[in-house]
Amino acid sequence: MQTKLSRRGALLSGALAVAGIALGRTPAVAAVPGESNGGVRIMPLGDSITDGYTPYPGGYRVRLWQLLTAGGYTIDFVGSQTNGPAELGDHDHEGHPGWRIDQLDANITTWLGQSDPRTILLLIGTNDLNQNHDIANAPARLSGLIDHIQALKPQSFLFVATIPPQSNATLEARVEAYNAAIPSVVAQKGPHVRLVKMYNALTTADLADGIHPTKAGYDKMAAVWYDALRAVPAALAPLHATHATAPTGS
């Protein structure tokens, strides 16, 4: 009997090890696709910086979630991707490492149909510049993506951010030129599209690898997103709500 129990224990230990659960440790909270608390649907949309690529999975979304919930807002991050630590209450997003503007545009119809966001946080363009992909027309591609989103979700709010700085001098010159074009693009799109000056909040000291922010850099980004959202109260209120209740801490 003891031999059978020992064998069963060994089999169980092996199964747990294969599943990635360390014996004697509390397993990490898994990211669950489709998480929702029934709040305002917000889609973080972009590339690896939205994903939270190295060194901090979840990126700005972690601190932004914390700021919003501490402020009394009930929100639901949405998207087909999911990652981040346990302290991120909702792991869903639409951040795709390595992707350019045109790649987001090619998939945006599907994503918006699946997630139906009230508010979209768009930060894209870094890979267009770093891949030297028709850089001169990157602002025009961004404009086209914005038009596409507005045509699909005319009542949604779209926050368009300038992209963070980079340590490489050649790439930084591209960043500055691209960012300089974004305000005029956004200004043509109407009151539901807002500019977010993300570049101004970061320096190269906030970068982990010359491109992606450190955790402290991502936290700075979260504060910028939070202030931008709070400046447009309707973006944090459900579409059907006619009288939004002021959140705590307002």
Side-chain angles (χ1 to χ4, degrees):
M1 181 68 175
Q2 185 176 4
T3 301
K4 289 182 178 179
L5 289 173
S6 298
R7 288 177 180 173
R8 288 178 183 175
L11 289 172
L12 177 59
S13 297
L16 290 171
V18 169
I21 301 175
L23 296 177
R25 298 180 183 178
T26 302
V29 175
V32 181
E35 294 167 316
S36 174
N37 60 6
V40 177
R41 300 170 71 80
I42 298 176
M43 174 185 282
L45 175 63
D47 50 33
S48 56
I49 296 176
T50 296
D51 173 87
Y53 180 82
T54 188
Y56 189 52
Y60 73 74
R61 294 177 287 112
V62 181
R63 182 60 180 153
L64 180 56
W65 169 268
Q66 294 169 345
L67 288 170
L68 287 165
T69 54
Y73 296 97
T74 304
I75 58 104
D76 176 14
F77 283 160
V78 297
S80 64
Q81 306 299 297
T82 179
N83 77 318
E87 57 266 29
L88 172 56
D90 189 332
H91 299 80
D92 303 326
H93 65 96
E94 209 63 79
H96 297 265
W99 281 35
R100 304 181 307 265
I101 298 166
D102 60 309
Q103 293 171 302
L104 294 191
D105 204 1
N107 290 274
I108 197 66
T109 298
T110 298
W111 296 334
L112 294 181
Q114 292 171 341
S115 298
D116 189 26
R118 167 61 164 157
T119 297
I120 300 161
L121 309 180
L122 175 62
L123 192 154
I124 193 66
T126 295
N127 292 306
D128 294 70
L129 309 183
N130 291 6
Q131 295 173 22
N132 199 25
H133 180 74
D134 190 17
I135 293 172
N137 288 312
R141 289 195 297 277
L142 177 65
S143 179
L145 174 58
I146 293 171
D147 289 344
H148 198 175
I149 291 171
Q150 285 195 287
L152 292 165
K153 296 293 176 182
Q155 297 187 82
S156 293
F157 284 94
L158 174 59
F159 292 80
V160 181
T162 53
I163 63 175
Q166 297 197 44
S167 295
N168 178 278
T170 299
L171 298 179
E172 174 62 11
R174 296 175 183 176
V175 168
E176 292 175 5
Y178 174 71
N179 281 340
I182 294 178
S184 62
V185 169
V186 170
Q188 302 170 21
K189 305 303 181 182
H192 276 232
V193 181
R194 302 298 180 100
L195 176 68
V196 179
K197 296 180 179 179
M198 192 64 70
Y199 176 89
N200 299 20
L202 302 172
T203 71
T204 54
D206 296 309
L207 305 177
D209 58 1
I211 300 172
H212 302 90
T214 60
K215 180 183 182 300
Y218 279 125
D219 287 350
K220 289 182 180 180
M221 293 181 67
V224 174
W225 283 125
Y226 183 60
D227 288 345
L229 286 166
R230 281 174 54 88
V232 185
L236 289 170
L239 186 59
H240 63 270
T242 55
H243 300 289
T245 303
T248 59
S250 294

